[in-house]
Amino acid sequence: MDGSSHAEDTWTVAGRTFRSRLIVGTGKYKDYAQNAAAAEAAGAEIVTVALRRVNLSDPSQPMLVDHVKPDRFTFLPNTAGCFTGEDAVRTLRLAREAGGWDLVKLEVLSNTPHLLPDMEETLRALKLLIADGFQVMVYCSDDPVYAKKLEEAGAAAIMPAAAPIGSGRGIQNALNLGLIIEQSKVPVLVDAGVGTASDAVVAMELGCDAVLMNTAIAEAKDPIRMARAMKHAVIAGREAYLAGRMPKRLYASASSPLNGLI
Amino acid sequence: MDGSSHAEDTWTVAGRTFRSRLIVGTGKYKDYAQNAAAAEAAGAEIVTVALRRVNLSDPSQPMLVDHVKPDRFTFLPNTAGCFTGEDAVRTLRLAREAGGWDLVKLEVLSNTPHLLPDMEETLRALKLLIADGFQVMVYCSDDPVYAKKLEEAGAAAIMPAAAPIGSGRGIQNALNLGLIIEQSKVPVLVDAGVGTASDAVVAMELGCDAVLMNTAIAEAKDPIRMARAMKHAVIAGREAYLAGRMPKRLYASASSPLNGLI
Amino acid sequence: MDGSSHAEDTWTVAGRTFRSRLIVGTGKYKDYAQNAAAAEAAGAEIVTVALRRVNLSDPSQPMLVDHVKPDRFTFLPNTAGCFTGEDAVRTLRLAREAGGWDLVKLEVLSNTPHLLPDMEETLRALKLLIADGFQVMVYCSDDPVYAKKLEEAGAAAIMPAAAPIGSGRGIQNALNLGLIIEQSKVPVLVDAGVGTASDAVVAMELGCDAVLMNTAIAEAKDPIRMARAMKHAVIAGREAYLAGRMPKRLYASASSPLNGLI
Amino acid sequence: MDGSSHAEDTWTVAGRTFRSRLIVGTGKYKDYAQNAAAAEAAGAEIVTVALRRVNLSDPSQPMLVDHVKPDRFTFLPNTAGCFTGEDAVRTLRLAREAGGWDLVKLEVLSNTPHLLPDMEETLRALKLLIADGFQVMVYCSDDPVYAKKLEEAGAAAIMPAAAPIGSGRGIQNALNLGLIIEQSKVPVLVDAGVGTASDAVVAMELGCDAVLMNTAIAEAKDPIRMARAMKHAVIAGREAYLAGRMPKRLYASASSPLNGLI
């Protein structure tokens, strides 16, 4: 009976509706079999596909699609490894010709050790892709002003980094993330920076629509178990957000002059 | 098939084994029916019973046991509202005579607005109860030195407060909590201070055996939904702890002189 | 003898060298007399001047320069209240004609309640100002990628916001701030978001060259006393940065398996 | 004019009045000369003396008092290295006989790697010392209930640990510290756990009367410079506390539904 009294809780991006709010990556796992098992344990309905990193077409090598099956998961092609708008646009056009994908994830990274997104190039590439008919979910910094620009340019979803990709540091700036969620009319997904289950819960408690992660699962000591942890984490955070948390107080009974200080 | 490859994950206190790692309270809900529904949604196997606050024996009034059924839940009588060791001992002796309970939760609070536990009185009461044959789970401060004294005196479980009861502030001192978990041979449960799902996840990620909460569920806008959130939160945190998280880094590729500063 | 063994610690922007690392604002005080007293108590050598908000030229009204004297402080004209690059450029050109100022602070804000900087407009305006011969200190987001673009475009200093202007929330993203400091060859100043003395210390401990604040002083209950607090705070943070802090440990004697978790 | 309008800000313990709010340790420095230089640079008026660790009486070895001069500093003998109340009492009685000191600092540590204070032993030792006529400043955990017991037993000052001694982790539990400050009628000093200048500022901003530190200065790369940083830090935090900080907001202009979440 758990939850039967609640209407089903879904989210919709570019006209497609999903129940799972956890998107997982491909390409960092021991092999495609482990990748598929992790996606399954995570309860994911969408997997991102790093077009430049996974084998989609060479049958003499292990192929992603033999394990992570396109009839089970929505594939979200991304532009991981692209450092210019042109690179990104070229990559996604090829993907569309090859696989018919037009719902895509744009990421244009700065060519630096920290690999943070280059927002100037990202916005430029987004405009090219929109003009070309793509539906574009956009990886971005947590700058609310740029998030607004992306939405106004036609982004299908805003995907701010919680922390540098692969850092596992969790949400660095809850304030900026909250401002983005408050202002956005398209879905907001935290992408990059999640390190463990509580990070995903915090993102969902802030009101994100979904969370995307890769390293946190792939580099856990037991990736399948961490995938399952993350499935529960995203549900926990979503339900807590919808349930409406109790207020924080100094202690149960009282207000106090300490309230302003602590 | 999710998780079928893992042996069942249980915990044991005073010789009793449980699968659920979420213990919920009684007595702060709108009515006993809501209380029972929340305990059910939480997947709890144990409920604490504030002996001085719930009606266990007057059939002319609504009775807890008509809703929260003793054949479904293990009742854990507690001494909420006791400010001296004598009070606590007297309360639990009466409970044992009336209900046969000998697994109990001791709490002796300071008679102050913040209601933090009085550890001197708590240790004294614990020794009296142990001598009297009780099996005692002990609510306590997060002081690792006192936690050790409690264990040496025979506590069946150590239950440190994460924050003042009813504050909803989450874990104030992860370092002390970690030291308690590291040193304890009996189960450690976070008790008091949880405000939302992420707080429970953090407690479990630190390696707690279970979490006890009352206000976080009872005072949520939708208590049943929050109870369900907490069920998932405790599983998420436990699984993440067992899965072994990825390391934190500044960014994916590198160490940096910033490591010592940030 | 306190400190006499150390060479004087100064910083240089656009060829001008300063000893004080605390820059204060103008325009939010009860009156210009209080403003001047605060700047004095802060030990400031530079004050920012909001060209659109202070009276520089109408002798029938109280004038800033009668209290905050140009022979005592370096005036740093800023573009507070400008929401487009054109606005900002026009404002600074007028200032240069009127006052001869060519070291300026550029800020182009988003026209939103949170008033975060608009980096696209800011970079565009910066290029116009550089071409026009200005030396430009640039208020910006804490995005390290954009900070790099500003420096490459010729910014004389990078001035990231620690938090939304007027929020008093302190440093939201120490990681991004650290990355900016690490990569920058021009001075980095934290600007906006400081609320109390410890915020300024944290900024300096990260390695900032200086801190700029306005509301934290002007809206303290005792602005002059807070100005003095900030003077000491900036020195404390700078000296601690140069002194090289002790490492963080779980406790004095030991490493522990807890190290990765807490 | 800096500060001239304010009455001198002092604090008083056991009838003795001090201007400096920074107490430093002895015994962890390269040599007594460096120790003395650090105490001087810190502007300290009180130094703690670990009776079991410094040489006070053997003229064939370097002696503390030849460098850190008793006519310049108030010596505060402490019981560092004592693990029982009896040990502590014996140590302080010997000190009184030898040096005439009756204002002392009591610390009774748990004999564990983390060396956190043993509050049961500490309270017992305090009562013995009070009965014996000592004036006792007491190192303790951050448990507000035990802090109250210490005060009621006659402690001259309450000195909670911010974090384990030698950890350099800063204030772990600002809430407990705030509760102690709020309830105490005797001075409250943060003792142990300070790692860098901002930690000391935060302690003072909470309303502590003073801060005691040892490792943070002695183990900095440049101890003298860090001592000077700490002098400014304690002043900064004290002045900010007295000045009354601005409120925290999400952003300058507005309240927002985000207020409860972030």
Side-chain angles (χ1 to χ4, degrees):
Chain A
M1 280 221 306
D2 175 344
S4 64
S5 60
H6 293 286
E8 193 170 40
D9 175 47
T10 61
W11 68 287
T12 299
V13 61
R16 300 167 212 207
T17 297
F18 301 95
R19 277 171 304 143
S20 166
R21 292 171 181 274
L22 177 51
I23 300 177
V24 298
T26 54
K28 281 205 163 189
Y29 292 87
K30 191 181 56 167
D31 52 36
Y32 290 136
Q34 189 192 51
N35 197 331
E40 202 64 56
E45 295 173 325
I46 305 176
V47 296
T48 59
V49 178
L51 294 166
R52 297 188 161 194
R53 292 193 183 137
V54 301
N55 177 28
L56 291 167
S57 56
D58 176 358
S60 72
Q61 298 292 322
M63 285 177 68
L64 177 69
V65 293
D66 291 339
H67 296 85
V68 180
K69 304 265 169 91
D71 56 356
R72 165 69 184 79
F73 298 99
T74 297
F75 275 36
L76 181 66
N78 73 36
T79 58
C82 294
F83 297 112
T84 68
E86 280 67 28
D87 265 9
V89 170
R90 191 179 323 116
T91 299
L92 291 173
R93 282 183 183 150
L94 286 169
R96 182 162 61 180
E97 285 162 28
W101 295 300
D102 60 359
L103 176 61
V104 297
K105 179 188 156 195
L106 172 65
E107 51 180 276
V108 186
L109 308 184
S110 62
N111 197 353
T112 57
H114 53 63
L115 292 173
L116 289 167
D118 182 328
M119 292 316 301
E120 190 181 24
E121 282 294 287
T122 298
L123 179 58
R124 205 165 58 77
L126 172 63
K127 290 175 179 172
L128 294 172
L129 290 167
I130 297 282
D132 213 13
F134 284 96
Q135 291 179 303
V136 193
M137 301 171 71
V138 188
Y139 177 60
C140 55
S141 75
D142 65 4
D143 175 351
V145 183
Y146 248 107
K148 195 73 188 166
K149 290 178 193 279
L150 297 175
E151 185 172 352
E152 288 169 355
I158 305 297
M159 306 180 76
I165 194 165
S167 69
R169 290 200 159 232
I171 293 173
Q172 300 300 297
N173 193 332
L175 197 159
N176 270 8
L177 205 51
L179 293 174
I180 291 173
I181 291 166
E182 190 182 42
Q183 80 187 0
S184 299
K185 292 182 181 61
V186 295
V188 176
L189 294 83
V190 156
D191 184 354
V194 166
T196 185
S198 50
D199 299 334
V201 181
V202 170
M204 296 304 297
E205 286 174 341
L206 284 169
C208 285
D209 293 276
V211 177
L212 190 158
M213 65 186 72
N214 197 14
T215 314
I217 295 176
E219 290 195 8
K221 290 204 186 68
D222 180 344
I224 309 306
R225 188 153 217 162
M226 188 57 91
R228 194 164 60 239
M230 291 298 185
K231 180 178 76 175
H232 288 289
V234 168
I235 296 171
R238 177 66 183 174
E239 292 289 304
Y241 172 74
L242 293 174
R245 64 159 294 159
M246 65 175 285
K248 289 187 191 179
R249 312 177 183 104
L250 270 178
Y251 35 78
S253 61
S255 64
S256 153
L258 289 172
N259 275 316
L261 293 176
I262 297 169
Chain B
M1 280 222 302
D2 176 345
S4 65
S5 61
H6 292 286
E8 193 170 39
D9 176 47
T10 61
W11 67 288
T12 299
V13 60
R16 300 167 210 207
T17 297
F18 300 94
R19 277 171 303 143
S20 166
R21 292 171 181 275
L22 177 52
I23 300 176
V24 298
T26 53
K28 281 204 161 189
Y29 291 87
K30 192 182 55 167
D31 52 36
Y32 290 136
Q34 190 192 51
N35 197 331
E40 202 65 56
E45 295 173 325
I46 304 176
V47 296
T48 58
V49 178
L51 294 167
R52 298 188 161 194
R53 292 191 184 140
V54 299
N55 177 27
L56 292 167
S57 55
D58 176 359
S60 73
Q61 298 292 319
M63 284 177 68
L64 177 69
V65 292
D66 291 340
H67 295 85
V68 180
K69 304 265 170 93
D71 57 355
R72 165 69 184 82
F73 298 99
T74 296
F75 274 36
L76 182 66
N78 74 36
T79 57
C82 295
F83 296 111
T84 69
E86 280 68 28
D87 264 9
V89 171
R90 191 179 321 117
T91 300
L92 290 174
R93 282 184 184 150
L94 286 171
R96 182 163 59 180
E97 285 162 27
W101 295 300
D102 61 358
L103 177 60
V104 297
K105 179 188 155 195
L106 172 65
E107 51 181 277
V108 186
L109 308 185
S110 63
N111 196 354
T112 56
H114 53 63
L115 292 174
L116 288 168
D118 181 329
M119 291 316 301
E120 190 181 24
E121 282 294 288
T122 298
L123 180 57
R124 204 164 59 78
L126 172 64
K127 290 175 179 172
L128 295 173
L129 290 168
I130 298 282
D132 213 14
F134 284 95
Q135 292 179 302
V136 193
M137 302 171 70
V138 188
Y139 176 59
C140 55
S141 75
D142 65 4
D143 175 351
V145 182
Y146 248 108
K148 195 73 188 165
K149 290 178 193 279
L150 298 175
E151 184 172 353
E152 288 169 354
I158 305 297
M159 307 180 75
I165 194 165
S167 70
R169 290 200 160 232
I171 293 174
Q172 298 300 297
N173 193 333
L175 197 159
N176 271 8
L177 205 51
L179 292 174
I180 291 173
I181 291 166
E182 191 182 42
Q183 80 187 359
S184 299
K185 292 182 180 63
V186 296
V188 176
L189 294 83
V190 157
D191 183 355
V194 165
T196 184
S198 50
D199 300 334
V201 182
V202 170
M204 296 304 297
E205 286 174 341
L206 284 169
C208 284
D209 293 277
V211 177
L212 191 159
M213 65 186 71
N214 197 14
T215 315
I217 296 176
E219 291 195 9
K221 289 205 187 67
D222 180 343
I224 308 306
R225 189 153 218 163
M226 188 57 92
R228 195 164 60 239
M230 291 298 185
K231 181 178 77 174
H232 289 288
V234 168
I235 296 171
R238 176 66 182 173
E239 292 289 303
Y241 172 73
L242 293 173
R245 65 159 293 158
M246 65 175 286
K248 290 186 190 180
R249 311 178 185 103
L250 270 177
Y251 34 79
S253 62
S255 64
S256 153
L258 289 172
N259 275 315
L261 293 176
I262 296 169
Chain C
M1 281 224 304
D2 176 344
S4 65
S5 61
H6 293 286
E8 193 170 40
D9 175 48
T10 61
W11 67 287
T12 299
V13 60
R16 300 167 211 209
T17 296
F18 301 94
R19 276 171 305 142
S20 166
R21 292 170 181 274
L22 176 52
I23 300 176
V24 299
T26 52
K28 281 203 162 190
Y29 292 86
K30 192 181 56 166
D31 52 37
Y32 290 136
Q34 190 192 51
N35 197 331
E40 202 65 55
E45 295 172 326
I46 306 176
V47 296
T48 59
V49 178
L51 294 167
R52 298 188 162 195
R53 293 193 184 136
V54 300
N55 178 27
L56 291 168
S57 55
D58 176 359
S60 73
Q61 299 291 322
M63 284 177 69
L64 177 70
V65 293
D66 291 340
H67 295 84
V68 181
K69 304 262 170 94
D71 57 354
R72 165 67 184 83
F73 298 99
T74 296
F75 275 36
L76 181 66
N78 73 36
T79 58
C82 295
F83 298 112
T84 68
E86 280 68 26
D87 264 9
V89 171
R90 191 179 322 117
T91 300
L92 291 173
R93 282 184 184 150
L94 287 170
R96 183 165 57 182
E97 285 161 29
W101 296 300
D102 59 359
L103 176 61
V104 297
K105 179 186 156 197
L106 173 64
E107 52 180 277
V108 186
L109 307 184
S110 63
N111 196 353
T112 57
H114 53 63
L115 291 174
L116 290 167
D118 182 329
M119 292 315 301
E120 190 181 24
E121 283 294 288
T122 298
L123 180 58
R124 203 164 60 77
L126 172 63
K127 290 175 179 171
L128 295 173
L129 290 167
I130 297 283
D132 213 13
F134 284 97
Q135 291 179 302
V136 192
M137 303 172 69
V138 188
Y139 177 60
C140 55
S141 75
D142 65 4
D143 175 351
V145 182
Y146 248 108
K148 195 74 188 164
K149 290 177 193 280
L150 297 175
E151 184 171 354
E152 288 169 354
I158 305 296
M159 306 180 75
I165 193 165
S167 69
R169 289 201 160 233
I171 293 174
Q172 299 299 297
N173 193 333
L175 197 159
N176 270 9
L177 204 51
L179 293 174
I180 291 172
I181 291 165
E182 191 182 41
Q183 80 186 359
S184 299
K185 292 182 181 62
V186 295
V188 176
L189 294 83
V190 157
D191 183 355
V194 165
T196 185
S198 51
D199 300 335
V201 182
V202 170
M204 295 305 296
E205 286 175 341
L206 284 168
C208 285
D209 293 277
V211 177
L212 190 159
M213 65 186 70
N214 198 14
T215 314
I217 296 176
E219 291 195 8
K221 289 204 188 69
D222 180 343
I224 308 307
R225 188 152 217 162
M226 187 58 91
R228 194 165 60 238
M230 292 297 185
K231 180 178 77 173
H232 289 287
V234 168
I235 295 170
R238 176 66 183 173
E239 291 289 303
Y241 172 74
L242 293 173
R245 63 160 293 157
M246 64 174 287
K248 290 187 190 180
R249 314 178 182 103
L250 270 177
Y251 34 78
S253 62
S255 64
S256 153
L258 289 173
N259 275 315
L261 293 175
I262 296 168
Chain D
M1 278 219 309
D2 177 346
S4 64
S5 61
H6 293 286
E8 193 169 39
D9 175 48
T10 61
W11 67 288
T12 299
V13 61
R16 299 167 211 209
T17 297
F18 301 94
R19 277 170 305 142
S20 167
R21 292 171 182 274
L22 175 53
I23 300 176
V24 299
T26 53
K28 282 203 161 190
Y29 292 86
K30 193 180 56 167
D31 53 35
Y32 290 136
Q34 190 192 50
N35 196 331
E40 202 65 55
E45 295 173 324
I46 305 176
V47 297
T48 59
V49 178
L51 294 167
R52 298 188 162 197
R53 292 192 183 137
V54 300
N55 177 26
L56 291 168
S57 56
D58 176 359
S60 73
Q61 298 292 321
M63 284 177 68
L64 178 69
V65 293
D66 291 339
H67 296 85
V68 180
K69 304 265 170 92
D71 58 354
R72 164 71 182 80
F73 298 99
T74 296
F75 274 35
L76 182 66
N78 73 36
T79 58
C82 294
F83 297 112
T84 68
E86 280 67 27
D87 265 8
V89 171
R90 191 179 323 117
T91 300
L92 290 174
R93 282 185 183 149
L94 286 170
R96 183 164 57 181
E97 286 162 28
W101 296 300
D102 59 359
L103 175 60
V104 297
K105 179 186 156 197
L106 172 65
E107 52 180 278
V108 187
L109 308 184
S110 62
N111 196 353
T112 58
H114 53 63
L115 292 174
L116 289 168
D118 182 329
M119 292 315 302
E120 191 181 23
E121 282 294 287
T122 298
L123 180 58
R124 203 164 59 78
L126 172 63
K127 290 175 180 172
L128 295 172
L129 290 167
I130 297 282
D132 212 13
F134 283 96
Q135 291 180 301
V136 193
M137 302 171 71
V138 188
Y139 176 60
C140 55
S141 74
D142 64 4
D143 176 351
V145 182
Y146 248 108
K148 194 73 189 163
K149 290 177 194 280
L150 298 175
E151 184 172 353
E152 287 169 353
I158 305 296
M159 306 180 76
I165 193 165
S167 69
R169 290 199 159 234
I171 293 173
Q172 299 300 296
N173 193 334
L175 197 159
N176 271 8
L177 205 52
L179 293 174
I180 291 172
I181 292 165
E182 191 182 41
Q183 80 187 359
S184 299
K185 292 181 181 62
V186 296
V188 176
L189 294 81
V190 156
D191 183 355
V194 165
T196 186
S198 50
D199 300 334
V201 182
V202 170
M204 296 304 297
E205 286 174 341
L206 284 169
C208 285
D209 293 278
V211 177
L212 190 158
M213 65 186 72
N214 197 14
T215 315
I217 295 176
E219 291 195 9
K221 290 205 186 68
D222 180 344
I224 309 306
R225 188 153 218 162
M226 187 58 91
R228 195 164 59 238
M230 291 299 185
K231 180 178 76 173
H232 288 288
V234 168
I235 296 170
R238 176 66 183 173
E239 292 290 302
Y241 172 74
L242 293 173
R245 64 160 294 158
M246 65 174 286
K248 290 187 190 180
R249 314 178 182 103
L250 271 177
Y251 34 79
S253 62
S255 63
S256 154
L258 289 172
N259 275 316
L261 293 175
I262 295 169

